[in-house]
Amino acid sequence: MSVKYIPVQWNPNKWIYDAVMLAGVALFLWVFLYLTPEVLSHDQPVTAQIRNARAFGACAFVMLTVILCIGPAARLDRRFLPLLYNRRHFGVMTAFVALTHAGYILNWYFAFSSSDKLVGLLYANASLGQIAGFPFELFGIFALICLLILAATSHDFWLKFLTPPVWKRLHYLIYAAYFAVAAHVSLGILQDQKNHVFTVLFMLGAGAVIVLHLAAWLRERSEAAAKDGAWAEVARVGDFRDGYAKIAKLANGDRVAVYLMEGQLSAISNACAHQNGPLGEGKIIDCLVTCPWHGFQYDVRNGRSPAPFTEKVPTYRLRIMGDMVEVHPDANPPGTYVEPVPLPEPPPEPEPDVPEDGATA
Amino acid sequence: MSEKPFFVGYLPAPGPLRTFLLTACVLLIAGLGSAGFLMGAAQDDPGPGAFRFDYGRQTVTGVVELTPYPILHVTEGNDRIQPGDSFLMTAGGKSGVDSRAEPLAGQLAQVSGVVLERGDLYMLQLRGGRNGLQAAEGEVPEITAEPQGRWKLAGEICDGKCLAGAMRPGRGLAHKACANLCLLGDVPPIFVSTQPVLGEEFLLVTGPGGTRLPRAAYDYVAQFITAEGEITKRGDLLVWEIDVDTIEVTP
Ligand code: HEM
Ligand code: FES
């Protein structure tokens, strides 16, 4: 791995990806701009600038829809992952297409007046208090700004500079942009047109984005739930003895020592950090798990040796299902604190049958 | 997982995945093409309005009347524009001719420009400066205004120039901000009535008492509304003095 930034590291797959993407966009625009006017054959066709603006706007919307579908599609079927791989290029291109749309609008609808185009854009329609006739352009401006920010920060440099978590959070702006575009279109062209084909396509596109995201989310949730079934049984609640452990063997072969200390259960790795001694065969001395082999000690709640020692062993999550104690097979990093799980109160002794007053009467 | 084909960004895709990806690419391109077709082919007909450069430049003479938007009542026409016609004027871009017309109010003037036409609505986009609008010599006939009473109308306020053909389409919500910008530039507003009124579909719309369309009415531009107001016939043009308080949006 190198930390040098080379503007774009091209490889054959990127060329293919970009070529496919460009071909799709070019086809969309060409068909919209040059093929359909022939089909429509209006006496006085839609003005070229308006047609251009619409073609680029519609194209940007479709591109954005495809981009937002790729993510969940790849989560649902890993074969889509290669499409995810260069999605940034797709995003940058969408920003350019959207910018072209805004440019045509600005240089046509908002040009030729005595005021500045951008000023006109912001003040010409001030009907903020109504739905029909709302200045839907504002949503377009917001979406465009989002897309431009994302395009500008799409390079690896920014990923490194901002750190992946910040970058990733920033790139969630894509959802804000998509909602804004949906509002832009819903308050604009959808209320305006007589032919509703665009409306249907718009709803199909937005619907696909929503359904795929939901499907991917549900799938992940059910996978997480299925993983839930992987919790390993340790022993019954009643089998634990204070100060001693029960040992469970996980599917991957690792062993876990589950200790009962002062009515609370905690789990650590069975392998001592010293020489892999069986911690579960030790016992708790002075509140510390003590290894039977050489006496290394660990706090059972976080797997750490008491200061000044620095040994650490992994910890595990526990839960009680019915009266069965179960351990989660994924080990926590050594030294991770886990809140101990209190043993449930033993059920109260059944009270001796006291005859109710008057029952004998 | 390990038995599934694994894609590494910079290596050629493995065989089975290659077929899948090829299919995905073809579908993507075809899908974008079809979307382009369907969306392009769904464009509404913008109607018959257009600049009539094919008519050539028109030069006529008439009386200027401020309503307050300047009207020309033609006294001396040509083979397209007849004496007795009354029409609205605009300048290039999103601006009206008010400042040029005001000094000539009530006087005879010669105007020259290109026609914007939509059905029986037409407008002249004047040439710049004196070439477009200048005082003319001659007898000034009296222009009488004929009151037609108070009317409640349903329809849409548009900017007259885009509607007449400067933009196709030049009406509707998508075009609202653009229309407002025209009106702010003194392009005369036109009311497109859903039912013919006294034989006309298009009326010049103003504020009450010969004022400009009030700013409060701009919120309703490009929407279907009903409103009340006095109609006056000036030459062969109907002028509707809209009462802003009576405007109601029709769903
Ligand atoms: C400064 C930013 C923007 C402005 C001022 C703007 C303005 C407009 C206007 C005035 C229309 C109506 C055009 C008409 O039908 O005559 C429109 C339509 C549209 N816009 Fe935008 N827009 C902006 C940004 C965006 C962005 C970022 C997107 C998508 C990513 C977008 C997508 C669309 C779509 C899909 C339509 C409908 C196209 C059609 O009529 O078929 N716009 N926009
Ligand atoms: S292995 Fe545990 S103390 Fe040596």
Side-chain angles (χ1 to χ4, degrees):
Chain A
M1 284 285 137
S2 107
V3 287
K4 196 168 68 172
Y5 298 109
I6 298 169
V8 182
Q9 287 175 319
W10 290 98
N11 64 50
N13 286 328
K14 287 201 180 187
W15 284 109
I16 297 172
Y17 191 102
D18 288 7
V20 168
M21 194 175 80
L22 270 170
V25 171
L27 187 67
F28 182 103
L29 293 171
W30 180 80
V31 168
F32 194 119
L33 291 173
Y34 299 104
L35 199 61
T36 57
E38 306 287 324
V39 178
L40 288 169
S41 62
H42 292 151
D43 276 351
Q44 299 289 347
V46 173
T47 311
Q49 284 84 347
I50 298 177
R51 174 169 283 277
N52 288 342
R54 290 178 174 180
F56 279 85
C59 189
F61 170 72
V62 173
M63 290 169 80
L64 211 51
T65 305
V66 172
I67 289 177
L68 286 176
C69 285
I70 291 177
R75 285 196 274 155
L76 288 167
D77 184 337
R78 297 179 57 81
R79 288 179 298 173
F80 283 108
L81 272 175
L83 301 183
L84 200 64
Y85 168 66
N86 264 329
R87 206 162 46 145
R88 287 186 228 180
H89 289 206
F90 211 157
V92 171
M93 172 151 276
T94 307
F96 279 115
V97 172
L99 192 64
T100 311
H101 162 73
Y104 275 117
I105 294 287
L106 215 54
N107 289 317
W108 187 246
Y109 282 165
F110 296 93
F112 317 116
S113 89
S114 54
S115 53
D116 183 76
K117 284 181 263 196
L118 288 168
V119 176
L121 173 63
L122 293 175
Y123 86 50
N125 179 2
S127 315
L128 288 160
Q130 53 196 54
I131 299 246
F134 185 90
F136 63 91
E137 291 87 353
L138 295 181
F139 287 108
I141 297 172
F142 175 77
L144 184 63
I145 291 174
C146 290
L147 291 179
L148 292 177
I149 291 176
L150 297 190
T153 59
S154 67
H155 193 268
D156 272 346
F157 167 79
W158 287 100
L159 181 61
K160 172 101 187 197
F161 181 76
L162 295 170
T163 73
V166 175
W167 188 84
K168 176 102 187 142
R169 233 167 284 155
L170 183 70
H171 278 242
Y172 280 133
L173 267 183
I174 193 77
Y175 291 102
Y178 195 70
F179 282 118
V181 171
H184 177 67
V185 175
S186 308
L187 292 171
I189 196 76
L190 295 196
Q191 299 197 27
D192 209 36
Q193 46 179 8
K194 297 186 190 68
N195 185 327
H196 292 294
V197 172
F198 187 89
T199 314
V200 172
L201 290 178
F202 170 78
M203 296 209 285
L204 284 178
V209 170
I210 293 170
V211 166
L212 279 172
H213 274 84
L214 275 179
W217 177 72
L218 284 175
R219 160 80 77 88
E220 267 158 20
R221 214 181 57 154
S222 70
E223 270 170 6
K227 223 176 180 180
D228 228 41
W231 284 75
E233 295 187 345
V234 181
R236 297 197 175 279
V237 167
D239 297 341
F240 285 86
R241 196 150 62 95
D242 211 283
Y244 291 90
K246 288 279 169 200
I247 298 174
K249 192 173 174 202
L250 301 177
N252 65 5
D254 289 351
R255 281 166 211 271
V256 181
V258 182
Y259 269 92
L260 177 63
M261 185 178 90
E262 293 165 0
Q264 298 190 313
L265 293 166
S266 295
I268 56 173
S269 162
N270 194 48
C272 175
H274 179 220
Q275 280 179 14
N276 282 353
L279 288 179
E281 289 171 22
K283 62 174 188 172
I284 290 182
I285 299 173
D286 293 337
C287 296
L288 295 166
V289 168
T290 309
C291 180
W293 283 6
H294 313 97
F296 272 47
Q297 291 192 306
Y298 304 90
D299 183 329
V300 74
R301 292 162 302 181
N302 59 18
R304 290 167 186 260
S305 292
F309 305 104
T310 54
E311 280 72 22
K312 290 180 220 160
V313 292
T315 54
Y316 289 84
R317 280 177 288 146
L318 288 173
R319 69 175 185 188
I320 297 174
M321 298 297 279
D323 72 342
M324 181 57 72
V325 176
E326 295 178 350
V327 62
H328 196 280
D330 292 345
N332 297 317
T336 306
Y337 176 82
V338 177
E339 189 65 34
V341 177
L343 274 192
E345 294 285 319
E349 291 289 312
E351 298 203 1
D353 270 354
V354 182
E356 274 179 47
D357 275 355
T360 49
Chain B
M1 280 301 130
S2 52
E3 78 281 7
K4 293 236 179 96
F6 183 68
F7 176 80
V8 181
Y10 48 86
L11 295 180
L17 195 56
R18 201 176 298 176
T19 322
F20 175 82
L21 290 177
L22 199 67
T23 318
C25 291
V26 170
L27 285 179
L28 182 76
I29 297 179
L32 279 166
S34 323
F37 182 82
L38 291 173
M39 289 177 170
Q43 302 291 311
D44 290 326
D45 190 334
F51 268 112
R52 300 313 305 250
F53 296 107
D54 52 332
Y55 292 171
R57 182 183 298 149
Q58 307 289 315
T59 304
V60 297
T61 306
V63 182
V64 175
E65 186 190 13
L66 298 183
T67 61
Y69 301 97
I71 299 181
L72 194 80
H73 300 288
V74 181
T75 52
E76 221 175 287
N78 58 25
D79 46 353
R80 279 202 190 278
I81 303 177
Q82 311 295 323
D85 277 0
S86 307
F87 62 80
L88 290 160
M89 292 167 287
T90 165
K94 289 177 179 311
S95 39
V97 294
D98 296 21
S99 55
R100 279 193 276 164
E102 270 155 17
L104 295 172
Q107 297 174 34
L108 213 55
Q110 188 194 58
V111 300
S112 175
V114 55
V115 172
L116 284 147
E117 185 182 48
R118 181 189 181 104
D120 51 5
L121 171 74
Y122 76 95
M123 202 178 245
L124 210 61
Q125 173 174 302
L126 303 189
R127 300 168 70 191
R130 276 182 53 80
N131 289 332
L133 177 58
Q134 57 190 305
E137 295 294 311
E139 189 89 349
V140 181
E142 199 182 332
I143 307 294
T144 49
E146 301 163 28
Q148 309 288 325
R150 190 174 172 87
W151 286 72
K152 179 169 183 174
L153 306 183
E156 182 184 339
I157 304 175
C158 298
D159 87 80
K161 185 177 182 184
C162 292
L163 174 74
M167 296 219 177
R168 297 186 301 271
R171 57 187 290 192
L173 279 177
H175 178 260
K176 177 179 177 123
C178 174
N180 282 3
L181 211 53
C182 281
L183 300 187
L184 289 166
D186 294 331
V187 171
I190 294 281
F191 191 78
V192 184
S193 175
T194 42
Q195 300 283 329
V197 189
L198 304 166
E200 300 286 339
E201 186 193 353
F202 303 106
L203 299 85
L204 172 65
V205 50
T206 72
T211 55
R212 286 180 196 212
L213 186 68
R215 194 71 222 254
Y218 284 34
D219 282 348
Y220 304 100
V221 166
Q223 284 180 266
F224 278 97
I225 57 163
T226 58
E228 293 176 28
E230 303 288 331
I231 293 183
T232 312
K233 189 163 186 174
R234 296 174 183 271
D236 69 349
L237 198 78
L238 293 181
V239 181
W240 186 38
E241 297 184 356
I242 202 166
D243 196 344
V244 178
D245 297 337
T246 63
I247 296 180
E248 274 174 37
V249 178
T250 44

